[in-house]
mmCIF file of all heavy atoms in Angstrom:
data_model
loop_
_atom_site.group_PDB
_atom_site.id
_atom_site.type_symbol
_atom_site.label_atom_id
_atom_site.label_comp_id
_atom_site.label_asym_id
_atom_site.label_seq_id
_atom_site.Cartn_x
_atom_site.Cartn_y
_atom_site.Cartn_z
ATOM 1 N N ASP A 61 -0.598 -12.279 1.773
ATOM 2 C CA ASP A 61 -1.262 -13.548 1.538
ATOM 3 C C ASP A 61 -1.320 -13.698 0.026
ATOM 4 O O ASP A 61 -2.206 -13.148 -0.626
ATOM 5 C CB ASP A 61 -2.655 -13.571 2.158
ATOM 6 C CG ASP A 61 -3.336 -14.916 2.026
ATOM 7 O OD1 ASP A 61 -2.963 -15.714 1.152
ATOM 8 O OD2 ASP A 61 -4.277 -15.175 2.812
ATOM 9 N N ASN A 62 -0.367 -14.424 -0.524
ATOM 10 C CA ASN A 62 -0.263 -14.523 -1.974
ATOM 11 C C ASN A 62 -1.486 -15.184 -2.608
ATOM 12 O O ASN A 62 -1.881 -14.822 -3.716
ATOM 13 C CB ASN A 62 0.993 -15.300 -2.366
ATOM 14 C CG ASN A 62 2.257 -14.502 -2.177
ATOM 15 O OD1 ASN A 62 2.226 -13.288 -2.003
ATOM 16 N ND2 ASN A 62 3.399 -15.182 -2.217
ATOM 17 N N ALA A 63 -2.051 -16.145 -1.906
ATOM 18 C CA ALA A 63 -3.213 -16.841 -2.449
ATOM 19 C C ALA A 63 -4.389 -15.906 -2.660
ATOM 20 O O ALA A 63 -5.214 -16.124 -3.548
ATOM 21 C CB ALA A 63 -3.608 -17.999 -1.543
ATOM 22 N N LYS A 64 -4.464 -14.877 -1.844
ATOM 23 C CA LYS A 64 -5.553 -13.913 -1.934
ATOM 24 C C LYS A 64 -5.137 -12.608 -2.591
ATOM 25 O O LYS A 64 -5.957 -11.687 -2.684
ATOM 26 C CB LYS A 64 -6.120 -13.621 -0.550
ATOM 27 C CG LYS A 64 -6.733 -14.822 0.144
ATOM 28 C CD LYS A 64 -7.279 -14.445 1.507
ATOM 29 C CE LYS A 64 -7.921 -15.631 2.194
ATOM 30 N NZ LYS A 64 -8.464 -15.278 3.534
ATOM 31 N N ASN A 65 -3.895 -12.528 -3.028
ATOM 32 C CA ASN A 65 -3.357 -11.278 -3.570
ATOM 33 C C ASN A 65 -3.654 -10.108 -2.644
ATOM 34 O O ASN A 65 -4.137 -9.053 -3.068
ATOM 35 C CB ASN A 65 -3.905 -11.009 -4.971
ATOM 36 C CG ASN A 65 -3.230 -11.835 -6.043
ATOM 37 O OD1 ASN A 65 -2.168 -12.415 -5.819
ATOM 38 N ND2 ASN A 65 -3.842 -11.906 -7.218
ATOM 39 N N THR A 66 -3.337 -10.314 -1.384
ATOM 40 C CA THR A 66 -3.645 -9.340 -0.356
ATOM 41 C C THR A 66 -2.381 -8.965 0.411
ATOM 42 O O THR A 66 -1.535 -9.827 0.688
ATOM 43 C CB THR A 66 -4.696 -9.888 0.621
ATOM 44 O OG1 THR A 66 -5.896 -10.188 -0.104
ATOM 45 C CG2 THR A 66 -5.020 -8.877 1.707
ATOM 46 N N VAL A 67 -2.262 -7.702 0.745
ATOM 47 C CA VAL A 67 -1.144 -7.219 1.529
ATOM 48 C C VAL A 67 -1.681 -6.436 2.720
ATOM 49 O O VAL A 67 -2.725 -5.772 2.626
ATOM 50 C CB VAL A 67 -0.194 -6.358 0.672
ATOM 51 C CG1 VAL A 67 -0.872 -5.084 0.194
ATOM 52 C CG2 VAL A 67 1.087 -6.046 1.431
ATOM 53 N N TYR A 68 -0.980 -6.534 3.845
ATOM 54 C CA TYR A 68 -1.371 -5.867 5.073
ATOM 55 C C TYR A 68 -0.235 -4.989 5.562
ATOM 56 O O TYR A 68 0.942 -5.283 5.354
ATOM 57 C CB TYR A 68 -1.712 -6.881 6.162
ATOM 58 C CG TYR A 68 -2.732 -7.913 5.751
ATOM 59 C CD1 TYR A 68 -2.333 -9.128 5.195
ATOM 60 C CD2 TYR A 68 -4.087 -7.686 5.913
ATOM 61 C CE1 TYR A 68 -3.262 -10.075 4.813
ATOM 62 C CE2 TYR A 68 -5.025 -8.625 5.536
ATOM 63 C CZ TYR A 68 -4.612 -9.820 4.987
ATOM 64 O OH TYR A 68 -5.536 -10.755 4.611
ATOM 65 N N LEU A 69 -0.598 -3.937 6.228
ATOM 66 C CA LEU A 69 0.384 -3.079 6.873
ATOM 67 C C LEU A 69 -0.073 -2.818 8.297
ATOM 68 O O LEU A 69 -1.040 -2.087 8.518
ATOM 69 C CB LEU A 69 0.562 -1.765 6.123
ATOM 70 C CG LEU A 69 1.666 -0.846 6.656
ATOM 71 C CD1 LEU A 69 3.032 -1.478 6.457
ATOM 72 C CD2 LEU A 69 1.601 0.523 5.986
ATOM 73 N N GLN A 70 0.617 -3.439 9.245
ATOM 74 C CA GLN A 70 0.361 -3.193 10.658
ATOM 75 C C GLN A 70 1.180 -1.995 11.085
ATOM 76 O O GLN A 70 2.409 -2.008 10.980
ATOM 77 C CB GLN A 70 0.731 -4.422 11.491
ATOM 78 C CG GLN A 70 0.514 -4.250 12.980
ATOM 79 C CD GLN A 70 -0.950 -4.112 13.339
ATOM 80 O OE1 GLN A 70 -1.780 -4.862 12.842
ATOM 81 N NE2 GLN A 70 -1.264 -3.139 14.185
ATOM 82 N N MET A 71 0.517 -0.967 11.559
ATOM 83 C CA MET A 71 1.165 0.276 11.936
ATOM 84 C C MET A 71 0.998 0.483 13.431
ATOM 85 O O MET A 71 -0.118 0.678 13.916
ATOM 86 C CB MET A 71 0.574 1.455 11.163
ATOM 87 C CG MET A 71 0.638 1.292 9.652
ATOM 88 S SD MET A 71 0.091 2.773 8.757
ATOM 89 C CE MET A 71 -1.640 2.803 9.235
ATOM 90 N N ASN A 72 2.102 0.441 14.148
ATOM 91 C CA ASN A 72 2.114 0.627 15.585
ATOM 92 C C ASN A 72 2.876 1.895 15.947
ATOM 93 O O ASN A 72 3.652 2.426 15.153
ATOM 94 C CB ASN A 72 2.760 -0.574 16.281
ATOM 95 C CG ASN A 72 2.027 -1.870 16.045
ATOM 96 O OD1 ASN A 72 0.798 -1.901 15.989
ATOM 97 N ND2 ASN A 72 2.771 -2.964 15.916
ATOM 98 N N SER A 73 2.662 2.348 17.164
ATOM 99 C CA SER A 73 3.352 3.537 17.666
ATOM 100 C C SER A 73 3.254 4.695 16.686
ATOM 101 O O SER A 73 4.240 5.360 16.361
ATOM 102 C CB SER A 73 4.820 3.215 17.973
ATOM 103 O OG SER A 73 4.928 2.186 18.932
ATOM 104 N N LEU A 74 2.060 4.936 16.219
ATOM 105 C CA LEU A 74 1.852 5.949 15.190
ATOM 106 C C LEU A 74 2.181 7.341 15.705
ATOM 107 O O LEU A 74 1.953 7.663 16.869
ATOM 108 C CB LEU A 74 0.421 5.893 14.682
ATOM 109 C CG LEU A 74 0.147 4.748 13.706
ATOM 110 C CD1 LEU A 74 -1.343 4.480 13.598
ATOM 111 C CD2 LEU A 74 0.733 5.083 12.333
ATOM 112 N N LYS A 75 2.717 8.135 14.812
ATOM 113 C CA LYS A 75 3.109 9.499 15.093
ATOM 114 C C LYS A 75 2.344 10.454 14.193
ATOM 115 O O LYS A 75 1.909 10.069 13.101
ATOM 116 C CB LYS A 75 4.613 9.681 14.852
ATOM 117 C CG LYS A 75 5.502 8.737 15.642
ATOM 118 C CD LYS A 75 6.962 8.926 15.249
ATOM 119 C CE LYS A 75 7.862 7.984 16.022
ATOM 120 N NZ LYS A 75 9.290 8.161 15.640
ATOM 121 N N PRO A 76 2.180 11.700 14.607
ATOM 122 C CA PRO A 76 1.529 12.668 13.723
ATOM 123 C C PRO A 76 2.181 12.771 12.352
ATOM 124 O O PRO A 76 1.482 13.033 11.367
ATOM 125 C CB PRO A 76 1.650 13.984 14.502
ATOM 126 C CG PRO A 76 1.681 13.561 15.923
ATOM 127 C CD PRO A 76 2.448 12.266 15.937
ATOM 128 N N GLU A 77 3.474 12.548 12.276
ATOM 129 C CA GLU A 77 4.179 12.596 11.008
ATOM 130 C C GLU A 77 3.760 11.483 10.050
ATOM 131 O O GLU A 77 4.072 11.546 8.861
ATOM 132 C CB GLU A 77 5.700 12.507 11.225
ATOM 133 C CG GLU A 77 6.241 13.538 12.196
ATOM 134 C CD GLU A 77 6.331 12.998 13.602
ATOM 135 O OE1 GLU A 77 7.383 12.429 13.964
ATOM 136 O OE2 GLU A 77 5.337 13.152 14.356
ATOM 137 N N ASP A 78 3.080 10.476 10.557
ATOM 138 C CA ASP A 78 2.582 9.403 9.711
ATOM 139 C C ASP A 78 1.288 9.766 9.000
ATOM 140 O O ASP A 78 0.817 9.001 8.155
ATOM 141 C CB ASP A 78 2.358 8.128 10.533
ATOM 142 C CG ASP A 78 3.643 7.585 11.129
ATOM 143 O OD1 ASP A 78 4.667 7.562 10.425
ATOM 144 O OD2 ASP A 78 3.615 7.179 12.307
ATOM 145 N N THR A 79 0.714 10.890 9.340
ATOM 146 C CA THR A 79 -0.525 11.320 8.705
ATOM 147 C C THR A 79 -0.312 11.505 7.208
ATOM 148 O O THR A 79 0.583 12.237 6.780
ATOM 149 C CB THR A 79 -1.027 12.623 9.327
ATOM 150 O OG1 THR A 79 -1.355 12.400 10.699
ATOM 151 C CG2 THR A 79 -2.267 13.137 8.606
ATOM 152 N N ALA A 80 -1.129 10.841 6.423
ATOM 153 C CA ALA A 80 -0.993 10.884 4.977
ATOM 154 C C ALA A 80 -2.119 10.077 4.351
ATOM 155 O O ALA A 80 -2.861 9.375 5.040
ATOM 156 C CB ALA A 80 0.360 10.310 4.536
ATOM 157 N N VAL A 81 -2.211 10.181 3.043
ATOM 158 C CA VAL A 81 -3.018 9.250 2.281
ATOM 159 C C VAL A 81 -2.122 8.084 1.900
ATOM 160 O O VAL A 81 -1.051 8.280 1.319
ATOM 161 C CB VAL A 81 -3.626 9.891 1.025
ATOM 162 C CG1 VAL A 81 -4.412 8.860 0.223
ATOM 163 C CG2 VAL A 81 -4.524 11.060 1.407
ATOM 164 N N TYR A 82 -2.554 6.901 2.235
ATOM 165 C CA TYR A 82 -1.780 5.702 1.971
ATOM 166 C C TYR A 82 -2.361 4.984 0.764
ATOM 167 O O TYR A 82 -3.563 4.721 0.698
ATOM 168 C CB TYR A 82 -1.786 4.769 3.186
ATOM 169 C CG TYR A 82 -0.881 5.247 4.294
ATOM 170 C CD1 TYR A 82 -1.197 6.378 5.034
ATOM 171 C CD2 TYR A 82 0.304 4.574 4.591
ATOM 172 C CE1 TYR A 82 -0.358 6.831 6.035
ATOM 173 C CE2 TYR A 82 1.143 5.020 5.595
ATOM 174 C CZ TYR A 82 0.814 6.147 6.315
ATOM 175 O OH TYR A 82 1.647 6.592 7.317
ATOM 176 N N TYR A 83 -1.490 4.669 -0.184
ATOM 177 C CA TYR A 83 -1.894 4.046 -1.435
ATOM 178 C C TYR A 83 -1.317 2.647 -1.543
ATOM 179 O O TYR A 83 -0.114 2.448 -1.370
ATOM 180 C CB TYR A 83 -1.403 4.858 -2.630
ATOM 181 C CG TYR A 83 -2.015 6.230 -2.753
ATOM 182 C CD1 TYR A 83 -1.422 7.334 -2.150
ATOM 183 C CD2 TYR A 83 -3.188 6.419 -3.478
ATOM 184 C CE1 TYR A 83 -1.981 8.591 -2.265
ATOM 185 C CE2 TYR A 83 -3.750 7.670 -3.596
ATOM 186 C CZ TYR A 83 -3.137 8.755 -2.987
ATOM 187 O OH TYR A 83 -3.697 10.002 -3.113
ATOM 188 N N CYS A 84 -2.167 1.714 -1.840
ATOM 189 C CA CYS A 84 -1.716 0.364 -2.128
ATOM 190 C C CYS A 84 -1.121 0.309 -3.532
ATOM 191 O O CYS A 84 -1.643 0.930 -4.463
ATOM 192 C CB CYS A 84 -2.885 -0.610 -2.011
ATOM 193 S SG CYS A 84 -2.449 -2.333 -2.308
ATOM 194 N N ASN A 85 -0.054 -0.436 -3.659
ATOM 195 C CA ASN A 85 0.635 -0.575 -4.937
ATOM 196 C C ASN A 85 0.873 -2.041 -5.248
ATOM 197 O O ASN A 85 1.302 -2.804 -4.381
ATOM 198 C CB ASN A 85 1.966 0.174 -4.899
ATOM 199 C CG ASN A 85 2.850 -0.132 -6.097
ATOM 200 O OD1 ASN A 85 3.790 -0.917 -6.009
ATOM 201 N ND2 ASN A 85 2.554 0.491 -7.224
ATOM 202 N N LEU A 86 0.609 -2.405 -6.477
ATOM 203 C CA LEU A 86 0.937 -3.727 -6.976
ATOM 204 C C LEU A 86 1.924 -3.545 -8.118
ATOM 205 O O LEU A 86 1.581 -2.964 -9.152
ATOM 206 C CB LEU A 86 -0.325 -4.465 -7.434
ATOM 207 C CG LEU A 86 -0.172 -5.942 -7.812
ATOM 208 C CD1 LEU A 86 -1.490 -6.686 -7.613
ATOM 209 C CD2 LEU A 86 0.287 -6.104 -9.256
ATOM 210 N N GLU A 87 3.123 -4.039 -7.918
ATOM 211 C CA GLU A 87 4.203 -3.892 -8.881
ATOM 212 C C GLU A 87 4.331 -5.157 -9.704
ATOM 213 O O GLU A 87 4.288 -6.260 -9.159
ATOM 214 C CB GLU A 87 5.513 -3.589 -8.153
ATOM 215 C CG GLU A 87 6.690 -3.305 -9.063
ATOM 216 C CD GLU A 87 7.952 -2.998 -8.287
ATOM 217 O OE1 GLU A 87 7.899 -2.951 -7.043
ATOM 218 O OE2 GLU A 87 9.005 -2.799 -8.927
ATOM 219 N N ARG A 88 4.514 -4.995 -10.999
ATOM 220 C CA ARG A 88 4.606 -6.135 -11.899
ATOM 221 C C ARG A 88 5.921 -6.151 -12.659
ATOM 222 O O ARG A 88 6.537 -5.113 -12.897
ATOM 223 C CB ARG A 88 3.442 -6.123 -12.898
ATOM 224 C CG ARG A 88 2.073 -6.209 -12.229
ATOM 225 C CD ARG A 88 1.016 -6.607 -13.227
ATOM 226 N NE ARG A 88 0.744 -5.548 -14.187
ATOM 227 C CZ ARG A 88 0.061 -5.728 -15.315
ATOM 228 N NH1 ARG A 88 -0.400 -6.944 -15.623
ATOM 229 N NH2 ARG A 88 -0.164 -4.709 -16.128
ATOM 230 N N TRP A 89 6.341 -7.359 -13.013
ATOM 231 C CA TRP A 89 7.530 -7.503 -13.836
ATOM 232 C C TRP A 89 7.236 -6.999 -15.247
ATOM 233 O O TRP A 89 6.342 -7.512 -15.919
ATOM 234 C CB TRP A 89 7.956 -8.961 -13.901
ATOM 235 C CG TRP A 89 8.374 -9.544 -12.586
ATOM 236 C CD1 TRP A 89 7.670 -10.378 -11.785
ATOM 237 C CD2 TRP A 89 9.635 -9.350 -11.943
ATOM 238 N NE1 TRP A 89 8.400 -10.724 -10.682
ATOM 239 C CE2 TRP A 89 9.609 -10.101 -10.748
ATOM 240 C CE3 TRP A 89 10.777 -8.612 -12.257
ATOM 241 C CZ2 TRP A 89 10.688 -10.134 -9.866
ATOM 242 C CZ3 TRP A 89 11.845 -8.641 -11.376
ATOM 243 C CH2 TRP A 89 11.788 -9.406 -10.198
ATOM 244 N N TRP A 90 7.966 -6.007 -15.667
ATOM 245 C CA TRP A 90 7.928 -5.517 -17.055
ATOM 246 C C TRP A 90 6.594 -4.915 -17.472
ATOM 247 O O TRP A 90 6.412 -4.580 -18.651
ATOM 248 C CB TRP A 90 8.303 -6.626 -18.044
ATOM 249 C CG TRP A 90 9.611 -7.271 -17.744
ATOM 250 C CD1 TRP A 90 9.822 -8.527 -17.277
ATOM 251 C CD2 TRP A 90 10.908 -6.672 -17.892
ATOM 252 N NE1 TRP A 90 11.155 -8.758 -17.122
ATOM 253 C CE2 TRP A 90 11.858 -7.637 -17.490
ATOM 254 C CE3 TRP A 90 11.361 -5.417 -18.322
ATOM 255 C CZ2 TRP A 90 13.224 -7.388 -17.500
ATOM 256 C CZ3 TRP A 90 12.724 -5.160 -18.320
ATOM 257 C CH2 TRP A 90 13.627 -6.153 -17.920
ATOM 258 N N LEU A 91 5.687 -4.771 -16.567
ATOM 259 C CA LEU A 91 4.368 -4.240 -16.874
ATOM 260 C C LEU A 91 4.023 -3.114 -15.910
ATOM 261 O O LEU A 91 4.602 -2.984 -14.840
ATOM 262 C CB LEU A 91 3.309 -5.339 -16.801
ATOM 263 C CG LEU A 91 3.472 -6.502 -17.783
ATOM 264 C CD1 LEU A 91 2.484 -7.616 -17.449
ATOM 265 C CD2 LEU A 91 3.272 -6.034 -19.216
ATOM 266 N N GLN A 92 3.046 -2.337 -16.287
ATOM 267 C CA GLN A 92 2.668 -1.173 -15.507
ATOM 268 C C GLN A 92 2.027 -1.567 -14.176
ATOM 269 O O GLN A 92 1.283 -2.540 -14.094
ATOM 270 C CB GLN A 92 1.708 -0.293 -16.307
ATOM 271 C CG GLN A 92 1.422 1.056 -15.683
ATOM 272 C CD GLN A 92 0.700 1.984 -16.643
ATOM 273 O OE1 GLN A 92 0.660 1.746 -17.845
ATOM 274 N NE2 GLN A 92 0.134 3.052 -16.106
ATOM 275 N N ASP A 93 2.318 -0.794 -13.146
ATOM 276 C CA ASP A 93 1.775 -1.040 -11.815
ATOM 277 C C ASP A 93 0.280 -0.749 -11.746
ATOM 278 O O ASP A 93 -0.275 0.012 -12.539
ATOM 279 C CB ASP A 93 2.468 -0.151 -10.778
ATOM 280 C CG ASP A 93 3.930 -0.477 -10.592
ATOM 281 O OD1 ASP A 93 4.454 -1.364 -11.282
ATOM 282 O OD2 ASP A 93 4.556 0.173 -9.725
ATOM 283 N N TYR A 94 -0.342 -1.353 -10.739
ATOM 284 C CA TYR A 94 -1.694 -0.988 -10.358
ATOM 285 C C TYR A 94 -1.665 -0.238 -9.039
ATOM 286 O O TYR A 94 -0.832 -0.502 -8.173
ATOM 287 C CB TYR A 94 -2.574 -2.233 -10.215
ATOM 288 C CG TYR A 94 -2.898 -2.926 -11.511
ATOM 289 C CD1 TYR A 94 -2.288 -4.128 -11.848
ATOM 290 C CD2 TYR A 94 -3.825 -2.384 -12.396
ATOM 291 C CE1 TYR A 94 -2.588 -4.777 -13.031
ATOM 292 C CE2 TYR A 94 -4.125 -3.028 -13.586
ATOM 293 C CZ TYR A 94 -3.507 -4.221 -13.904
ATOM 294 O OH TYR A 94 -3.811 -4.858 -15.085
ATOM 295 N N TRP A 95 -2.622 0.670 -8.874
ATOM 296 C CA TRP A 95 -2.705 1.488 -7.671
ATOM 297 C C TRP A 95 -4.107 1.483 -7.108
ATOM 298 O O TRP A 95 -5.090 1.460 -7.848
ATOM 299 C CB TRP A 95 -2.315 2.939 -7.975
ATOM 300 C CG TRP A 95 -0.873 3.124 -8.295
ATOM 301 C CD1 TRP A 95 -0.285 3.055 -9.516
ATOM 302 C CD2 TRP A 95 0.171 3.415 -7.362
ATOM 303 N NE1 TRP A 95 1.059 3.283 -9.409
ATOM 304 C CE2 TRP A 95 1.370 3.512 -8.101
ATOM 305 C CE3 TRP A 95 0.215 3.607 -5.985
ATOM 306 C CZ2 TRP A 95 2.593 3.785 -7.506
ATOM 307 C CZ3 TRP A 95 1.425 3.882 -5.384
ATOM 308 C CH2 TRP A 95 2.594 3.968 -6.146
ATOM 309 N N GLY A 96 -4.190 1.522 -5.777
ATOM 310 C CA GLY A 96 -5.457 1.731 -5.124
ATOM 311 C C GLY A 96 -5.831 3.198 -5.107
ATOM 312 O O GLY A 96 -5.056 4.072 -5.511
ATOM 313 N N GLN A 97 -7.020 3.475 -4.630
ATOM 314 C CA GLN A 97 -7.513 4.843 -4.594
ATOM 315 C C GLN A 97 -6.952 5.660 -3.436
ATOM 316 O O GLN A 97 -7.003 6.891 -3.475
ATOM 317 C CB GLN A 97 -9.041 4.847 -4.513
ATOM 318 C CG GLN A 97 -9.725 4.343 -5.763
ATOM 319 C CD GLN A 97 -11.227 4.408 -5.658
ATOM 320 O OE1 GLN A 97 -11.876 3.475 -5.199
ATOM 321 N NE2 GLN A 97 -11.789 5.542 -6.077
ATOM 322 N N GLY A 98 -6.440 5.003 -2.436
ATOM 323 C CA GLY A 98 -5.884 5.671 -1.284
ATOM 324 C C GLY A 98 -6.830 5.646 -0.100
ATOM 325 O O GLY A 98 -8.048 5.715 -0.256
ATOM 326 N N THR A 99 -6.257 5.553 1.076
ATOM 327 C CA THR A 99 -7.021 5.596 2.311
ATOM 328 C C THR A 99 -6.336 6.563 3.274
ATOM 329 O O THR A 99 -5.118 6.558 3.420
ATOM 330 C CB THR A 99 -7.165 4.186 2.929
ATOM 331 O OG1 THR A 99 -7.992 4.245 4.088
ATOM 332 C CG2 THR A 99 -5.815 3.586 3.303
ATOM 333 N N GLN A 100 -7.128 7.395 3.900
ATOM 334 C CA GLN A 100 -6.594 8.441 4.766
ATOM 335 C C GLN A 100 -6.230 7.874 6.132
ATOM 336 O O GLN A 100 -7.034 7.185 6.765
ATOM 337 C CB GLN A 100 -7.609 9.568 4.932
ATOM 338 C CG GLN A 100 -7.164 10.687 5.877
ATOM 339 C CD GLN A 100 -6.048 11.525 5.305
ATOM 340 O OE1 GLN A 100 -6.109 11.934 4.146
ATOM 341 N NE2 GLN A 100 -5.017 11.772 6.108
ATOM 342 N N VAL A 101 -5.026 8.190 6.580
ATOM 343 C CA VAL A 101 -4.586 7.896 7.934
ATOM 344 C C VAL A 101 -4.264 9.215 8.606
ATOM 345 O O VAL A 101 -3.430 9.984 8.115
ATOM 346 C CB VAL A 101 -3.354 6.979 7.951
ATOM 347 C CG1 VAL A 101 -2.786 6.859 9.367
ATOM 348 C CG2 VAL A 101 -3.711 5.606 7.404
ATOM 349 N N THR A 102 -4.929 9.489 9.710
ATOM 350 C CA THR A 102 -4.706 10.711 10.447
ATOM 351 C C THR A 102 -4.334 10.370 11.884
ATOM 352 O O THR A 102 -5.070 9.652 12.563
ATOM 353 C CB THR A 102 -5.952 11.607 10.438
ATOM 354 O OG1 THR A 102 -6.313 11.908 9.090
ATOM 355 C CG2 THR A 102 -5.693 12.906 11.189
ATOM 356 N N VAL A 103 -3.208 10.893 12.325
ATOM 357 C CA VAL A 103 -2.713 10.645 13.672
ATOM 358 C C VAL A 103 -2.714 11.966 14.423
ATOM 359 O O VAL A 103 -2.011 12.910 14.042
ATOM 360 C CB VAL A 103 -1.303 10.041 13.665
ATOM 361 C CG1 VAL A 103 -0.868 9.701 15.086
ATOM 362 C CG2 VAL A 103 -1.260 8.800 12.780
#
């Protein structure tokens, strides 16, 4: 949702191999990225 600067990730059919800390990333043209703190996903 560009108006809200929001991104979503719908994760279906999750597997144990998907277990990880997931980090949001905002990539910019010619400038340094921003990162979220991470959220734990455990399957």
